[in-house]
């Protein structure tokens, strides 16, 4: 429930999360050659030194020799829900866990040859060792090539991936600034969550947390405990200011297991030129399959001839679900026999995939995530789709854009540059930790996948389809036709041009612009090849 304002207390320290940069220094050897000759006769030219060959790559034992040898083995018989077989943990050591990580990286990591050979004994655990076992290379814009290397406790990954359940308040924050003066704004709330049930809504700006000034305060322990709860033992007090107002209010929230609703909004919008479908799609998790099918059936019943797909906050997930949605948008005629995404692994072909195994087609039937496998998918049969994007549009969501463009669907991008992740994972458990390390890159039917700096509205990688740069509009609810990005899409549909308030931009101009990113776990910014 809401209560009156509280008095903030100021503190001095804020936890800053910094990535560890590993700098490689190459040492060269100078070889001097000399010679002699008869007096008065110049010596013959010294032969050019042969280049010093690079050291042979370190040979690592197969990861299978160390698998499931754990510091803390799980109980015998505990079942892996993806394989329906026991995990098979036995007693091991920190060394065997770290050996498994190093060998697994060498076998499966897309850029395994760019990983520094760091000694395992310098790291306390397998997870801390894993954190540094990645490339230090950068993209054309100077961003780290690998920004997506992470781990998750296996029970948490299983819960979120299969059921959409995650401990929290059900409010997603758009982050404008993480250092003082910080600015976190609620992007949306999950239905029937603690936040939604206490009337926290889109546009609410965070002011104070448990008596600590959030904007300028610095109490690490209090802020982290409240914002990232690990149990539901305590109620926390959040002070908000609604968008466009100066008045504040306090909400007391207790963390709960929140079930995510990946498709929370589906509407048929009447316009003077015919009905337009609008759909918010936030997560490629298993439960989204049935919700997407229901949404497309609803839009078909509304006889829509255009679709606005809002994936501004969709960080990705299962690649197969992205394929299903793309097929439902484009229809079977455009996609029949075509490749949605082809996966490129490292030269070792670590998973022994055939060409067919590494190819995700445009699925015409459901794959059994939350609907009976083999169910024929409904289709809108569209040659153009308006896609609302932001910095939170990532991975499998970007694959929708790329996959549709690969079969010549015009994707009109409205919003901001996407996160830039043409890569994905094959999640792998060992000893209760699930490891996510980039193991493949994806290309569409035309062989295109070079968007590591993101898709830019109307930019060079847009297949020549115009787009409009439009900031996120927190003053209006998602689905309100006055909301900035939706309004721009509807206007573009009618006029063929961007609204006056929008612009077209180059990748660099967008990178220099302050935009909000979504505060979410890295688990929800993925392209995931389905575990087996």
């Amino acid at each position: 429930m809401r209560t009156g304002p509280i008095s903030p207390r100021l503190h001095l320290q804020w936890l800053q999360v910094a990535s560890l940069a590993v700098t490689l220094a190459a040492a060269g050897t100078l070889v001097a050659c000399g010679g002699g000759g008869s007096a008065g006769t110049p010596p013959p030219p010294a032969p050019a030194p042969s280049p010093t060959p690079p050291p042979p790559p370190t040979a690592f034992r197969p990861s299978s020799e160390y698998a499931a040898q754990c510091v803390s083995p799980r109980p015998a018989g505990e079942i892996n829900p993806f394989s329906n077989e026991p995990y098979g943990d036995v007693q091991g050591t920190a060394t065997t866990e770290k050996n498994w990580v190093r060998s697994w990286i060498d076998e499966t990591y897309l850029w395994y040859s760019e990983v520094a050979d760091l000694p395992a004994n310098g790291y306390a655990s397998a997870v801390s060792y894993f954190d540094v076992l990645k490339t230090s290379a950068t993209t054309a814009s100077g961003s780290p090539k690998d920004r997506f290397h992470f781990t998750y406790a296996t029970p948490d990954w299983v819960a979120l991936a299969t059921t959409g359940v995650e401990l929290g308040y059900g409010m997603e924050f758009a982050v404008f600034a993480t250092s003082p003066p910080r600015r976190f704004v609620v992007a949306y709330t999950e239905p029937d969550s603690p936040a939604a049930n206490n009337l926290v809504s889109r546009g609410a700006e965070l002011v104070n947390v448990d008596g600590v000034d959030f904007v300028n305060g610095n109490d690490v322990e209090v802020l982290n405990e409240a914002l990232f709860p690990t149990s539901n033992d305590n109620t926390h007090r959040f002070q908000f200011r609604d968008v466009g107002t100066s008045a504040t209010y306090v909400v007391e929230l207790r963390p709960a297991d929140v079930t995510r609703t990946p498709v929370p909004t589906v509407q048929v919008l009447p316009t003077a030129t015919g009905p337009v479908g609008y759909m918010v799609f936030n997560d490629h998790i298993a439960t989204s399959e049935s919700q997407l099918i229901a949404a497309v059936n609803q839009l078909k019943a509304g006889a829509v001839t255009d679709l606005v797909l809002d994936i501004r906050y969709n960080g990705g997930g299962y690649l197969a679900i992205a394929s299903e949605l793309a097929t439902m948008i484009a229809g079977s005629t455009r996609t029949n026999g075509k490749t949605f995404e082809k996966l490129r692994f490292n030269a070792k072909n670590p998973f022994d995939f055939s060409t067919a195994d590494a190819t995700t087609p445009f699925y015409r039937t459901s794959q059994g995530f939350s609907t009976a496998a083999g169910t024929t998918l409904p289709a809108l049969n569209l040659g153009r789709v308006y896609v609302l994007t932001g910095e939170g549009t990532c991975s499998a969501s970007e694959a929708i854009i790329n996959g549709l463009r690969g079969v010549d669907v015009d994707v009109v991008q409205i919003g901001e540059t996407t996160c830039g992740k043409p890569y994905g994972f094959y999640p792998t458990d060992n000893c209760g930790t699930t490891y996510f390390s980039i193991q493949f890159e994806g290309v569409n039917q035309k062989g295109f996948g070079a968007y590591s700096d993101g898709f830019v509205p109307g930019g060079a990688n847009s297949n020549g389809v115009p787009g409009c740069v439009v900031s996120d509009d927190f003053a209006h609810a998602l689905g309100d036709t006055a909301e900035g990005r939706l309004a721009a899409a509807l206007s573009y549909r009618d006029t063929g041009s961007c609204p006056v308030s929008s612009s077209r931009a180059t990748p660099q101009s967008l990178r220099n612009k302050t935009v909000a990113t979504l505060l979410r776990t890295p688990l929800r910014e993925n392209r995931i090849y389905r575990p087996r």
Side-chain angles (χ1 to χ4, degrees), residues 215-408:
V215 178
N216 294 299
N218 299 288
D219 193 312
V220 173
E221 186 173 350
V222 170
L223 293 174
N224 282 344
E225 183 179 350
L227 285 169
F228 309 104
T230 56
S231 75
N232 61 356
D233 295 338
N234 298 305
T235 297
H236 298 278
R237 305 181 77 198
F238 295 87
Q239 184 182 23
F240 293 102
R241 178 174 51 248
D242 278 337
V243 62
T245 71
S246 58
T248 63
Y249 60 91
V250 170
V251 176
E252 294 187 352
L253 301 176
R254 181 182 291 274
D257 286 334
V258 175
T259 300
R260 301 199 174 277
T261 304
V263 189
T265 304
V266 184
Q267 298 172 219
V268 176
L269 306 174
T271 75
T273 51
V276 176
Y278 171 77
M279 175 168 57
V280 177
F281 178 33
N282 288 334
D283 276 295
H284 288 72
I285 56 178
T287 54
S288 69
E289 183 182 59
S290 59
Q291 293 182 29
L292 288 168
I293 292 171
V296 171
N297 277 323
Q298 179 181 333
L299 297 177
K300 282 191 68 177
V304 304
T305 56
D306 286 288
L307 173 65
V308 179
L309 176 64
D310 193 338
I311 52 174
R312 74 184 80 185
Y313 302 133
N314 192 322
Y318 286 124
L319 184 63
I321 288 175
S323 169
E324 290 181 11
L325 178 56
T327 304
M328 288 190 279
I329 291 170
S332 59
T333 300
R334 287 180 179 273
T335 61
N336 188 34
K338 302 293 180 62
T339 294
F340 174 70
E341 184 164 285
K342 182 178 180 180
L343 309 183
R344 292 176 176 169
F345 295 84
N346 69 35
K348 299 179 181 182
N349 191 14
F351 302 107
D352 196 28
F353 279 5
S354 65
T355 300
D357 289 333
T359 301
T360 298
F362 282 88
Y363 288 118
R364 301 172 67 178
T365 60
S366 61
Q367 300 303 295
F369 288 94
S370 53
T371 300
T375 302
T376 300
L377 298 174
L380 298 174
N381 301 306
L382 301 177
R384 170 172 286 197
V385 61
Y386 301 86
V387 177
L388 310 187
T389 66
E391 290 263 330
T393 305
C394 200
S395 203
S397 291
E398 293 173 299
I400 295 172
I401 296 172
N402 201 44
L404 288 173
R405 286 178 172 165
V407 292
D408 295 320

Side-chain angles (χ1 to χ4, degrees), residues 75-96:
E78 185 170 335
I79 299 297
N80 181 336
F82 298 115
S83 66
N84 292 317
E85 297 177 354
Y87 285 109
D89 292 357
V90 298
Q91 189 62 55
T93 65
T95 297
T96 55

